């Protein structure tokens, strides 16, 4: 299997697993596929905000499990572990980031930026998990952790803003 983020292998959507793992093709962007994948997650997040919080959490958990399966399958089909074009993990990470966050353009932008920062920089323990865990769960879990860190950050920022207002 090729190393992570092997740029010589193009992301394709030839199979159902690749289509889903690529975030409905958003991961096929020639540059910054993770950013495009996160952007593609925004309308899904917005639609999910109309659901009760429990259903939001259930759908997020379902997409996590689905992501473990399809990202593992897609990475085997492409022969690249955690191909950059696999972005279903960005969907889950963004959904986690935005859990119980007020819905408006400012929080959407703030959540997007915070999640991308944690996903790209990969502070401990994200980087450790990213390096140690393999397969579909390894592809997904580092973005779950980035989402949790961004979730905590956005709630602290919103709490601080409310206290200072």
């Amino acid at each position: 299997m090729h190393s992570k983020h092997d740029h010589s292998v193009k992301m394709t959507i030839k199979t159902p697993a690749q289509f889903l793992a690529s975030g409905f093709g958003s991961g096929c962007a020639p540059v910054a596929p993770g950013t495009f994948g996160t952007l593609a997650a925004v309308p899904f997040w917005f639609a999910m905000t109309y659901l009760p919080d429990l259903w939001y959490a259930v759908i997020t958990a379902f997409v996590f499990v689905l992501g473990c399966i399809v990202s593992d399958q897609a990475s085997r089909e492409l022969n690249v572990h955690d191909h950059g074009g696999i972005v279903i993990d960005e969907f889950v990470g963004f959904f986690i980031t935005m859990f119980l966050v007020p819905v408006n353009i400012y929080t959407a932008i703030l959540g997007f930026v915070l999640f991308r920062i944690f996903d790209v920089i990969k502070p401990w323990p994200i980087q450790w998990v990213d390096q140690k865990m393999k397969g579909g769960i390894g592809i997904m879990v580092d973005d779950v952790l980035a989402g949790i860190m961004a979730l905590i950050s956005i709630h602290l920022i919103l709490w601080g803003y409310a206290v200072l207002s």
Side-chain angles (χ1 to χ4, degrees), residues 78-90:
L78 296 167
N79 201 30
V80 178
H81 173 67
D82 200 1
H83 189 289
I86 295 174
V87 297
I88 194 167
D89 49 337
E90 270 76 16

Side-chain angles (χ1 to χ4, degrees), residues 33-48:
T35 299
F36 280 94
T38 307
L39 273 174
V42 173
F44 290 92
W45 160 73
F46 183 71
M48 288 167 57

Side-chain angles (χ1 to χ4, degrees), residues 54-66:
L54 177 62
W55 278 105
Y56 183 107
V58 166
I59 290 170
T60 301
F62 173 79
V63 176
F64 171 78
V65 172
L66 177 69

Side-chain angles (χ1 to χ4, degrees), residues 29-136:
V31 295
T35 299
F36 280 94
T38 307
L39 273 174
V42 173
F44 290 92
W45 160 73
F46 183 71
M48 288 167 57
T49 64
Y50 286 94
L51 300 171
D53 297 338
L54 177 62
W55 278 105
Y56 183 107
V58 166
I59 290 170
T60 301
F62 173 79
V63 176
F64 171 78
V65 172
L66 177 69
C68 289
I69 296 164
V70 299
S71 61
D72 186 67
Q73 178 65 34
S75 66
R76 282 191 273 115
E77 291 169 356
L78 296 167
N79 201 30
V80 178
H81 173 67
D82 200 1
H83 189 289
I86 295 174
V87 297
I88 194 167
D89 49 337
E90 270 76 16
F91 277 62
V92 171
F94 185 71
F95 295 163
I96 291 168
T97 298
M98 300 305 290
F99 188 59
L100 301 176
V101 172
V103 180
N104 61 57
I105 189 68
Y106 305 108
T107 57
I109 292 169
L110 179 60
F112 179 89
V113 169
L114 286 169
F115 173 67
R116 292 307 303 143
I117 288 170
F118 284 112
D119 190 33
V120 170
I121 293 174
K122 297 190 186 315
W124 187 91
I126 299 170
Q127 186 176 36
W128 183 85
V129 167
D130 188 46
Q131 293 169 347
K132 300 294 181 194
M133 294 186 79
K134 301 297 178 209

